[in-house]
Amino acid sequence: MKATTSRTSGADSGVRPGRIGALRQRFDALAREIAKFGVVGALGVLVNFAVFNAMRHGTDLQVVRASVIATVVAIAFNYVGFRYFTYRDRDKSGRAKELSLFLLFSVVGLVIENGVLYVATYAFHWDSQLQSNVFKFLGMGLATLFRFWSYRTWVFKALPARETVARAESFLEDGPEAKPVHRVKP
């Protein structure tokens, strides 16, 4: 005898199917955003480490100064990647404000990243090549969490949903005395 399984519909389970679909879309959009942020971030990490290690071996700069220079180069690289890849669909109307906020939050990330390296180097005297790279990486990880939150919340703001824009446009086209128009997504 075959065992049969029955699917419970949204009405049976108390959860509306449309709500689940909307949550799924939001989750998928967030997953894509995290993936794109990760690609740019991973390339930024490579740039950061390459510049950091080149500065450590090619100059007489102290470890934290070399790290700050590497972080600044990576910040410039990341801005281009975030603006034109990760967040290319976001609002582009206030570029000066966007860049100012990006730099502000990047400087906070720079302090977090290099603060970890500074404490490891000067408080604990962990300053071998390997230790410097490990603590730079840990600092980057903490700073990345802060940057992801701040960039998506304050810098690269999402545009309003298309449905909201369509409703506003239909209101303007039809005037306030007309009945609301419900458009069907293509």
Side-chain angles (χ1 to χ4, degrees):
M1 176 189 289
K2 286 186 177 178
T4 60
T5 58
S6 66
R7 290 186 174 180
T8 57
S9 69
D12 296 340
S13 65
V15 178
R16 291 181 289 172
R19 184 113 170 114
I20 292 172
L23 287 174
R24 175 66 183 203
Q25 286 177 341
R26 289 184 69 190
F27 177 77
D28 289 347
L30 180 61
R32 281 190 302 277
E33 179 182 347
I34 290 170
K36 288 179 178 181
F37 190 91
V39 167
V40 172
L43 293 172
V45 166
L46 293 175
V47 167
N48 199 329
F49 273 114
V51 173
F52 174 64
N53 284 298
M55 299 294 291
R56 287 268 334 248
H57 295 298
T59 69
D60 291 332
L61 284 176
Q62 295 174 345
V63 74
V64 175
R65 288 184 184 163
S67 180
V68 168
I69 292 169
T71 303
V72 169
V73 171
I75 286 170
F77 175 86
N78 286 347
Y79 178 77
V80 172
F82 291 142
R83 168 41 53 214
Y84 297 104
F85 177 67
T86 306
Y87 298 113
R88 70 176 174 255
D89 60 336
R90 299 288 175 99
D91 187 14
K92 297 175 181 79
S93 61
R95 285 288 173 94
K97 180 181 176 185
E98 173 186 283
L99 187 56
S100 298
L101 287 172
F102 181 84
L103 290 175
L104 172 72
F105 291 122
S106 293
V107 167
V108 173
L110 180 143
V111 170
I112 293 168
E113 176 181 328
N114 292 292
V116 170
L117 183 61
Y118 180 88
V119 169
T121 302
Y122 297 109
F124 296 104
H125 303 288
W126 294 330
D127 58 355
S128 73
Q129 180 73 27
L130 177 63
Q131 290 167 331
S132 294
N133 279 291
V134 166
F135 287 103
K136 179 155 181 66
F137 184 77
L138 289 174
M140 279 187 208
L142 292 173
T144 297
L145 294 173
F146 170 77
R147 287 176 179 136
F148 178 73
W149 169 80
S150 63
Y151 293 166
R152 77 182 309 265
T153 304
W154 300 100
V155 180
F156 301 106
K157 292 185 177 182
L159 291 171
R162 290 181 186 191
E163 296 81 27
T164 305
V165 172
R167 266 183 281 170
E169 288 173 347
S170 69
F171 178 78
L172 292 173
E173 290 170 1
D174 299 335
E177 64 281 344
K179 291 182 182 179
V181 176
H182 296 287
R183 296 182 186 217
V184 177
K185 289 183 186 178

